[in-house]
Amino acid sequence: MQKTSFIVIRGNSMRLEGGCMFGNAPSTLWKKWVKADEKEMIDISSNCLLVRTENHNILFETGCGAYLSPDMRERFAVNEETHLLLQALEEQGLSDSGISHVILSHMHFDHVGGLLSAWEPDRESDLLFPHALFVVGEENFKRSKSPHMRDRASFIPKLSDKLQSTGRLVLKRGGDRLEVDSLVIEFFQSDGHTPGMLVSRIQAPGGTVIFTGDLMPGLPWVNLPITMGYDRFAEKLVDEKKQILDRALAEDALLVFPHDAVHAAARVELDPVKKRVMPSKIFKTLNITL
């Protein structure tokens, strides 16, 4: 039986205001879960999931990257100048040219910025990953080309055109599947955070892994009622979250979080007191074979 490795690698990190990240929760609650500074800013990671099969290297997300100019990097509170994702791939014996698929939950800059080379003065960033198929939700890709005024700043200008011009863009909808070697990747379409976001259920021979996207950006958001101020349709997101959590419980699936600075992944169980699905076994790092 073929074995598949699941490794969480980290790209560039950010700082965001905790109140925005926990939109409907008071600070007296969310400060019990995450550490905040005097300005109530919290650490936001770019957790990217590297999946290595017998013949392919699949990357889920690329994080915020290092494409921003110094003034914009300060504005968006991105911490590092260098492209940390490329360094993390090197530590795995890979480069961006060795990635066969880049699967993007959605097109917001903090999930796709790592597709671009690091900022240099008087030079436009290049699109990296020259041999990869770029997989993204069809509806969210359309939105990236014509965003609503409310979330226009979340999309990178011209990136959708760069992806389209490669001839390697693959658009998916909810219920679609992608088979790679012994893996079956099933896409669940979530519209609560942003229309057309894809949550990836990765079925390997030895178990199931779910890359949550911004449905659950980190461990605290496994709590069913907790949503972000950035979510477009919060009640819809809670309903979608319940569907994924119920499925994770039934399949003993491992949830991988894109933004948690402390926790990379978790399994879930039914909490007998709260009467809903909650984290059980928690992983601060992830490097497993299934």
Side-chain angles (χ1 to χ4, degrees), residues 91-198:
E91 292 171 3
Q92 299 297 324
L94 290 170
S95 69
D96 63 299
S97 64
I99 299 298
S100 60
H101 302 71
V102 178
I103 297 179
L104 305 164
S105 64
H106 60 297
M107 292 287 289
H108 286 173
F109 81 95
D110 55 323
H111 293 255
V112 303
L115 292 173
L116 298 170
S117 61
W119 179 84
E120 296 180 39
D122 303 316
R123 185 174 184 275
E124 185 175 327
S125 294
D126 295 322
L127 184 65
L128 303 173
F129 302 95
H131 304 125
L133 295 177
F134 299 107
V135 182
V136 66
E138 181 178 355
E139 187 174 346
N140 198 255
F141 187 79
K142 290 178 182 177
R143 189 176 187 84
S144 73
K145 295 175 74 70
S146 182
H148 189 276
M149 184 177 292
R150 186 180 184 274
D151 61 357
R152 182 177 298 163
S154 296
F155 296 99
I156 301 175
K158 301 181 182 179
L159 179 58
S160 54
D161 294 333
K162 286 179 183 289
L163 293 176
Q164 213 158 17
S165 68
T166 66
R168 292 179 276 116
L169 178 65
V170 179
L171 298 178
K172 294 290 186 180
R173 299 184 67 85
D176 288 349
R177 293 186 172 201
L178 177 67
E179 296 186 16
V180 184
D181 292 337
S182 58
L183 292 183
V184 177
I185 304 168
E186 180 185 7
F187 299 107
F188 173 86
Q189 182 166 317
S190 168
D191 298 313
H193 176 65
T194 181
M197 187 179 78
L198 297 181

Side-chain angles (χ1 to χ4, degrees), residues 46-72:
S46 291
N47 299 332
C48 308
L49 179 62
L50 175 63
V51 180
R52 308 194 71 169
T53 69
E54 184 177 16
N55 301 305
H56 296 85
N57 297 302
I58 307 163
L59 186 65
F60 290 80
E61 310 282 73
T62 65
C64 60
Y67 74 97
L68 290 168
S69 62
D71 59 324
M72 294 299 289

